[in-house]
């Protein structure tokens, strides 16, 4: 109230602002009650007989235009009509006043009503305020709790329009930051014991220790008193701007409020001359105002003679007070009245008065014929309509104490809040420390600035943890719990082949085809490539056996060439033996094609080489067996069979047997050839580089044909098993074919059931095992006789039977 009076007097004394007009005022008490406020409003709007300017207000403050350019009041009896209402502090009362002002079109400027509902210009077209809308405060609060990781907070408020709209906005805004309300509760303005029990029961039962409270200091005082009775500690209070700087709460509940954080409206560092104005009260002037008289009596604990408050105080305490001496001085005592260190609400009042003044100044500066109203007319500053004044007020743009003041399309100022932290001074008093700020005009993401290092917390040296569920680490994702808020969830590890590299990931992302998650599943790493290489033990062993087999085969060829004229070598079809040994050497070397990183060309060669080399070997064995069998059959009288099994026919049979396999391989290569393939189906974390057959039919036809040749060879060798021992290879061929069948029959199920490099190893092992079986079963006995029993290598021994 005193700040408004000071601002009006300051404007009236200025020569650069409204030099032709003087402002006057009426002050009425709203009693924080709608009926009383409406009664006062109607008096201000309709006018009342006044002999001089009156002052009797706390919250609803009316500013009137005085047509006199030299006097503050009005001479004689004049019906003074207020053209602007400054007030009310409460959002609910302001809404009631605005609905009643509808037919008057009188502007109402509030200095503390923050409800976002008042921004509705369709419903409240004549409303303006110097207090930021709660919509900005809610954004700031949502960012604040998110900044400290408080995703699980309690939200309470007094049952009023202010708190209801604020809580609703917070629930909507907090979703953007992943913040949830552990509970929301509205309590009545008058807090009885039942209401306190209900509220405190909710607070005690909840897991959240961070509480946002939308109320005034009077309701907060009742809550703190009950909290002290129940000895509840460790709560982190988040104050709305309505009580963020309510220093009176500290007197009895400082230990409960230490560490409180809240957004306070912008503070003026100093309003020049205001402190002197406040301290300049003297008893003669005080008698005129019930407010000032009560302030004086309570501050100095005395009784003013003729005080307008006397009839309100019928208690013995008041009557027992000593009369005031008249020498009392406000400079000698401390009171909240004279404390100008927290000029926040008062600064809003100061700006509201200057808003009206600058609107009148803009109206006065209107040039005739260029006005904003019908037919380009201007309004008369000494005789205007309220709706003309609101036009200029909404377009006002001025500076007050260095701050640029302007308004948006809803009549709201640009929001700026100080983030204050309640800290204890060494003497136990309250120290409201600015630890950050919120500037709605800053770019997105930079509006909230916090200095964590200077914050004092209720417990310990760091912020409390207030979460429903702990954060999900990288490598996992959030799984919502059915029927619970979004902040309550379980952490589920990422599925196979998926990763998440952020905390609290909603989804895991799948790795690319050539990458795979690491053990923590927070990073995709290149997959391990797998193939049978020359650098691993299995590859080295198989390579060594292949080379050794080929060398043994070639050594036997050399031995046979050395002893080619001996009966043992000559009696066993020397030419076919050489061919067989050569082809066996090739079979051993074919195994090398299966080792190393597969490529398309290797795959083209690998399977046909395998099929053709074994077809050559089995064809040679088949020819040898047929020659032995037919040789003994031809000794019968009159037999001419041997003429069909001469050297040329033997060569032709070998080529013919192999030609069929060559044709099968050509058809296979031309239709669906083998090729290299990156296989990730068997083991997702490994890329198996393998040769795929292209056509399963082609592969099994190659194997099947080798099997047919082997069966024919086995049958013929079996038929020749009873021929004379010394001249008979049939039993060795029979035994070698049994080994061959055993190897390849075992190979089929093992080949089908293995994957990757082990399939290749099985294939090589089958090749080497069957080749070694043929080599040692057929040629080992001959080599033994040649090397260790040379005395048996003669015609007489071979022809004994």
């Amino acid at each position: 109230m005193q700040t408004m009076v000071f601002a009006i007097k300051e404007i009236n004394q200025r020569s650069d602002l409204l030099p032709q007009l003087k402002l006057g005022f009426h002050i009425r008490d709203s009693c924080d009650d709608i009926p009383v406020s409406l009664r006062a409003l109607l008096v201000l709007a309709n006018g009342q007989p006044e002999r001089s300017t009156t002052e009797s207000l706390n919250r609803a403050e009316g500013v009137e235009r005085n047509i006199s350019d030299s006097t503050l009041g009005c001479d004689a009896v004049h019906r003074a009509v207020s053209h602007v209402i400054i007030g009310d502090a409460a959002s609910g009362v302001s809404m009631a006043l605005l609905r009643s002002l509808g037919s008057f079109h009188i502007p109402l400027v509030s200095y503390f009503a923050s409800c976002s509902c008042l921004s509705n210009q369709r419903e409240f077209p004549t409303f303006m305020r110097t207090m930021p809308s709660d919509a900005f405060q809610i954004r700031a609060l949502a960012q604040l709790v998110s900044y400290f990781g408080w995703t699980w907070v309690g939200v309470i408020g007094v049952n009023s329009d202010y708190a209801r709209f604020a809580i609703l906005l917070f629930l909507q805004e907090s979703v953007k930051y992943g913040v949830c309300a552990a509970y929301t509760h509205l309590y009545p303005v008058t807090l009885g014991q039942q209401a306190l029990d209900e509220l405190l029961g909710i607070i005690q039962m909840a897991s959240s220790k961070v509480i946002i409270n939308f109320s005034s200091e009077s309701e907060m005082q009742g809550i703190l008193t009950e909290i002290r009775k129940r000895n509840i500690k460790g709560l982190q209070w988040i104050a709305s701007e309505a009580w963020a700087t309510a220093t009176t709460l500290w007197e009895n509940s400082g230990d409960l409020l230490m560490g409180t954080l809240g957004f306070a409206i912008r503070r003026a560092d100093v309003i020049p001359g205001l402190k002197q104005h406040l301290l300049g009260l003297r008893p003669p002037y005080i008698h005129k105002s019930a407010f000032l008289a009560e302030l004086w009596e309570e501050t100095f604990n005395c009784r003013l003679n003729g005080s307008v408050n006397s009839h309100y105080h019928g208690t013995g305490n008041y009557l027992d007070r000593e009369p005031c001496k008249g020498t009392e001085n406000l400079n000698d005592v401390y009171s909240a009245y004279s404390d100008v260190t927290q000029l926040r609400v008062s600064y809003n009042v100061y700006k509201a008065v200057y808003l009206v003044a600058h609107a009148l100044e803009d109206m006065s500066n209107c040039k005739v014929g260029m006005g904003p109203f019908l037919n380009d007319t201007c309004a008369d500053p000494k005789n205007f309509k309220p709706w003309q004044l609101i036009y200029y007020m909404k377009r006002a743009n001025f500076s007050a104490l260095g701050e640029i003041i302007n308004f948006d399309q809803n009549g709201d100022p640009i929001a700026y809040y100080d983030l204050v932290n309640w800290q204890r001074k060494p003497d136990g008093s309250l120290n409201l420390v600015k630890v950050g700020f919120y500037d709605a005009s800053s770019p997105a993401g930079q509006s909230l600035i916090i200095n964590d290092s200077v914050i004092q917390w209720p417990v310990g040296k760091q912020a409390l943890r207030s979460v429903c569920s702990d954060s999900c680490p990288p490598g996992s994702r959030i799984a919502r719990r059915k029927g619970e808020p979004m902040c309550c969830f379980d952490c589920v590890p990422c599925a196979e082949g998926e990763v998440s590299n952020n905390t609290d990931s909603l989804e895991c992302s799948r790795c690319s085809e050539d990458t795979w998650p690491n053990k923590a599943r927070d990073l995709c790493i290149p997959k391990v490539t797998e193939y049978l290489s020359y650098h691993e033990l299995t590859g080295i062993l198989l390579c060594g056996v292949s080379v050794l087999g080929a060398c043994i085969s070639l050594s036997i060829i050399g031995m046979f060439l050395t002893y080619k004229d001996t009966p043992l070598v000559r009696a066993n079809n020397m030419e076919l033996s050489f061919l067989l040994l050569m082809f066996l050497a090739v079979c051993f070397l074919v195994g090398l094609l299966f080792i190393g990183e597969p490529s398309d060309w290797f795959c083209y060669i690998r399977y046909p080489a395998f099929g053709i080399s074994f077809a050559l070997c089995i064809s040679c064995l088949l020819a040898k067996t047929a020659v032995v069998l037919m040789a003994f059959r031809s000794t019968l009288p009159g037999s001419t069979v041997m003429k069909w099994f001469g050297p040329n026919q033997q060569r032709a049979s070998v080529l013919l047997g192999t030609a069929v396999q060559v044709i099968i391989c050509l058809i296979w290569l031309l239709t669906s050839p083998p090729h290299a393939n990156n296989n990730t189906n068997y083991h997702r974390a490994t890329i198996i580089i393998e040769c795929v057959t292209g056509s399963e039919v082609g592969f099994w036809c190659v194997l099947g044909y080798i099997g047919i040749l082997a069966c024919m060879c086995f049958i013929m060798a079996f038929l020749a098993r009873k021929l004379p021992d010394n001249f008979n290879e049939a039993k060795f061929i029979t035994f070698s074919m049994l080994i061959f069948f055993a190897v390849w029959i075992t190979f089929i199920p093992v080949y089908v059931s293995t994957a990757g490099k082990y399939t290749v190893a099985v294939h090589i092992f089958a090749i080497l095992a069957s080749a070694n079986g043929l080599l040692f079963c057929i040629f080992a006995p001959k080599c033994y006789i040649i090397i260790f029993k040379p005395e048996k290598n003669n015609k007489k021994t071979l022809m004994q039977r």
Side-chain angles (χ1 to χ4, degrees):
M1 178 185 76
Q2 284 288 77
T3 301
M4 188 191 83
V5 173
F6 168 77
I8 291 174
K9 288 182 178 179
E10 184 179 68
I11 292 169
N12 287 339
Q13 292 171 4
R14 289 178 59 169
S15 59
D16 60 330
L17 183 64
L18 296 180
Q20 304 301 321
L21 294 175
K22 296 297 179 184
L23 300 179
F25 58 90
H26 291 292
I27 300 176
R28 293 290 180 266
D29 190 357
S30 70
C31 297
D32 199 20
D33 182 68
I34 292 178
V36 176
S37 300
L38 289 174
R39 191 180 305 117
L41 172 72
L42 294 175
V43 171
L44 294 171
N46 288 309
Q48 57 182 343
E50 294 287 349
R51 193 166 285 277
S52 62
T53 301
T54 63
E55 303 173 3
S56 52
L57 147 54
N58 182 0
R59 290 185 177 171
E61 303 165 354
V63 177
E64 71 162 355
R65 172 188 60 86
N66 195 309
I67 58 174
S68 170
D69 62 352
S70 60
T71 61
L72 184 62
C74 308
D75 294 329
V77 177
H78 176 76
R79 185 164 294 275
V81 178
S82 296
H83 288 72
V84 180
I85 306 295
I86 296 182
D88 185 271
S91 297
V93 176
S94 296
M95 291 169 68
L97 297 180
L98 285 165
R99 291 189 175 101
S100 301
L101 281 173
S103 57
F104 294 94
H105 302 291
I106 296 177
L108 186 145
V109 184
S110 177
Y111 54 89
F112 205 51
S114 60
C115 181
S116 60
C117 54
L118 290 166
S119 298
N120 187 343
Q121 286 293 292
R122 288 188 177 182
E123 189 174 359
F124 308 114
T126 60
F127 177 75
M128 292 188 70
R129 54 185 163 191
T130 53
M131 175 76 180
S133 167
D134 273 341
F136 299 104
Q137 181 194 191
I138 296 306
R139 291 174 199 164
L141 286 172
Q143 291 183 36
L144 174 68
V145 294
S146 175
Y147 178 87
F148 290 112
W150 296 327
T151 58
W152 191 238
V153 298
V155 187
I156 61 175
V158 66
N159 193 1
S160 64
D161 291 327
Y162 161 69
R164 280 194 297 271
F165 277 93
I167 291 175
L168 179 62
L169 280 176
F170 179 80
L171 295 179
Q172 294 172 351
E173 186 72 19
S174 61
V175 174
K176 302 176 184 177
Y177 299 93
V179 177
C180 302
Y183 55 87
T184 57
H185 182 74
L186 289 170
Y187 48 83
V189 176
T190 304
L191 275 168
Q193 190 59 45
Q194 183 178 353
L196 284 170
D197 289 342
E198 183 181 0
L199 172 61
L200 271 295
I202 293 172
I203 291 175
Q204 285 182 292
M205 291 295 293
S207 59
S208 173
K209 298 302 179 184
V210 179
I211 306 173
I212 301 175
N213 184 22
F214 296 98
S215 73
S216 65
E217 57 188 279
S218 59
E219 293 88 20
M220 189 61 188
Q221 187 65 67
I223 295 171
L224 292 172
T225 302
E226 187 66 19
I227 286 177
R228 181 173 296 282
K229 288 180 183 179
R230 300 193 182 204
N231 196 28
I232 302 174
K233 296 181 179 180
L235 297 179
Q236 173 67 63
W237 288 100
I238 307 295
S240 65
E241 91 291 324
W243 66 276
T245 56
T247 55
T248 54
L249 294 174
W250 184 264
E251 295 174 5
N252 299 318
S253 306
D255 57 329
L256 300 177
L257 291 173
M258 190 174 69
T260 295
L261 290 169
F263 286 103
I265 54 180
R266 191 165 198 158
R267 178 175 68 91
D269 293 331
V270 62
I271 298 179
L274 177 61
K275 188 174 181 65
Q276 292 75 13
H277 173 79
L278 295 175
L279 297 176
L281 292 179
R282 295 293 180 267
Y285 180 73
I286 291 170
H287 282 79
K288 298 178 182 180
S289 169
F291 294 109
L292 298 177
E294 184 179 2
L295 167 70
W296 195 270
E297 290 173 339
E298 294 300 322
T299 301
F300 297 106
N301 195 26
C302 64
R303 177 169 47 88
L304 286 169
N305 293 327
S307 168
V308 293
N309 285 322
S310 299
H311 65 283
Y312 292 120
H313 300 274
T315 63
N317 290 337
Y318 177 75
L319 296 176
D320 290 343
R321 290 179 178 178
E322 294 290 332
C324 296
K325 298 178 181 179
T327 59
E328 295 84 3
N329 193 326
L330 289 172
N331 284 295
D332 299 333
V333 296
Y334 170 81
S335 67
Y337 166 77
S338 57
D339 185 356
V340 293
T341 60
Q342 296 291 331
L343 294 176
R344 299 183 188 274
V345 180
S346 299
Y347 182 39
N348 279 357
V349 173
Y350 185 82
K351 289 187 286 187
V353 175
Y354 267 87
L355 167 63
V356 176
H358 280 278
L360 289 171
E361 175 75 6
D362 292 342
M363 184 186 295
S364 302
N365 293 333
C366 179
K367 295 181 179 179
V368 179
M370 300 176 63
F373 305 116
L374 184 65
N375 297 324
D376 298 329
T377 58
C378 296
D380 183 1
K382 296 183 178 181
N383 186 22
F384 60 86
K385 301 297 180 183
W387 59 267
Q388 293 175 318
L389 179 61
I390 192 65
Y391 172 86
Y392 285 102
M393 288 174 63
K394 289 191 175 183
R395 290 160 177 78
N397 191 337
F398 60 96
S399 174
L401 303 181
E403 179 189 354
I404 302 300
I405 312 296
N406 49 38
F407 303 86
D408 62 17
Q409 66 274 15
N410 297 321
D412 296 328
I414 303 302
Y416 181 95
Y417 296 98
D418 290 332
L419 178 61
V420 295
N421 181 221
W422 291 38
Q423 300 184 8
R424 186 189 298 276
K425 292 181 180 178
D427 61 359
S429 61
L430 173 63
N431 185 21
L432 290 175
V433 179
K434 181 179 177 180
V435 295
F437 64 88
Y438 178 85
D439 187 355
S441 63
S442 297
Q446 302 176 24
S447 52
L448 179 63
I449 304 298
I450 299 177
N451 184 3
D452 304 47
S453 61
V454 296
I455 296 177
Q456 188 177 94
W457 300 105
V459 179
K461 296 184 178 180
Q462 58 184 9
L464 297 173
R465 288 189 74 256
S466 186
V467 296
C468 180
S469 298
D470 289 324
S471 295
C472 292
S476 62
R477 64 174 179 84
I478 289 174
R480 304 292 185 197
R481 295 177 187 168
K482 189 175 182 180
E484 295 189 33
M486 61 177 289
C487 300
C488 300
F489 50 80
D490 296 315
C491 295
V492 178
C494 289
E496 190 177 72
E498 296 182 344
V499 297
S500 66
N501 52 14
N502 295 319
T503 301
D504 289 335
S505 295
L506 295 176
E507 293 181 351
C508 297
S509 56
R510 181 164 291 279
C511 291
S512 61
E513 286 295 325
D514 56 348
T515 59
W516 189 252
N518 59 358
K519 188 175 181 180
R521 299 194 178 183
D522 59 357
L523 180 67
C524 289
I525 58 176
K527 288 182 178 180
V528 176
T529 57
E530 180 182 287
Y531 57 87
L532 187 61
S533 73
Y534 290 102
H535 303 291
E536 57 184 293
L537 181 60
T538 305
I540 293 170
L541 290 175
L542 292 174
C543 178
V545 173
S546 297
V547 174
L548 181 61
C551 291
I552 293 173
S553 301
L554 295 175
S555 298
I556 295 174
I557 292 175
M559 184 186 298
F560 276 27
L561 286 173
T562 303
Y563 296 96
K564 63 181 178 179
D565 295 325
T566 63
L568 183 62
V569 176
R570 296 183 63 191
N572 285 280
N573 201 330
M574 186 172 61
E575 185 177 353
L576 286 179
S577 295
F578 283 138
L579 288 175
L580 178 58
L581 286 167
M582 189 182 300
F583 296 146
L584 281 173
V586 172
C587 285
F588 281 116
L589 295 176
V590 163
L592 299 178
L593 295 176
F594 287 77
I595 304 174
E597 183 176 354
S599 65
D600 286 340
W601 281 106
F602 266 120
C603 295
Y604 292 154
I605 299 169
R606 177 183 293 180
Y607 292 108
F610 155 70
I612 293 170
S613 61
F614 268 91
L616 286 167
C617 289
I618 305 302
S619 297
C620 287
L621 283 176
L622 184 60
K624 283 172 68 70
T625 308
V627 169
V628 172
L629 183 62
M630 292 301 107
F632 281 91
R633 296 292 182 185
S634 65
T635 59
L636 298 175
S639 175
T640 58
V641 174
M642 279 307 295
K643 70 176 181 179
W644 301 104
F645 286 90
N648 292 332
Q649 285 79 7
Q650 293 172 26
R651 298 188 198 100
S653 64
V654 171
L655 293 175
L656 180 63
T658 307
V660 176
Q661 185 75 291
V662 171
I663 293 171
I664 293 172
C665 291
L666 284 174
I667 295 172
W668 182 13
L669 293 175
L670 292 174
T671 55
S672 183
H675 60 274
N677 179 57
N678 293 340
N679 185 357
T680 57
N681 296 326
Y682 183 73
H683 197 294
R684 297 287 181 85
T686 304
I687 299 176
I688 300 174
I689 306 176
E690 61 182 3
C691 280
V692 293
T693 57
S695 170
E696 291 292 331
V697 174
F699 176 70
W700 292 109
C701 283
V702 168
L703 280 182
Y705 182 69
I706 293 173
I708 292 171
L709 290 177
C711 287
M712 293 172 62
C713 185
F714 174 75
I715 292 170
M716 296 184 71
F718 182 78
L719 293 176
R721 73 189 185 284
K722 293 184 179 180
L723 295 178
D725 293 340
N726 293 348
F727 196 73
N728 188 10
E729 275 188 321
K731 61 181 180 181
F732 300 126
I733 295 174
T734 303
F735 191 62
S736 68
M737 285 297 102
L738 288 174
I739 295 175
F740 187 88
F741 284 133
V743 169
W744 289 101
I745 291 172
T746 306
F747 163 79
I748 293 172
V750 176
Y751 180 84
V752 172
S753 60
T754 56
K757 62 183 180 181
Y758 301 105
T759 303
V760 179
V762 167
H763 204 152
I764 298 172
F765 178 80
I767 293 172
L768 297 179
S770 55
N772 276 297
L774 295 175
L775 179 64
F776 286 100
C777 287
I778 296 172
F779 294 101
K782 299 177 179 59
C783 293
Y784 176 78
I785 292 174
I786 292 172
I787 297 172
F788 298 105
K789 299 290 183 179
E791 67 275 8
K792 293 184 178 182
N793 189 6
N794 55 70
K795 189 172 182 180
K796 181 179 179 180
T797 303
L798 296 177
M799 297 295 291
Q800 263 184 343
R801 292 180 60 185

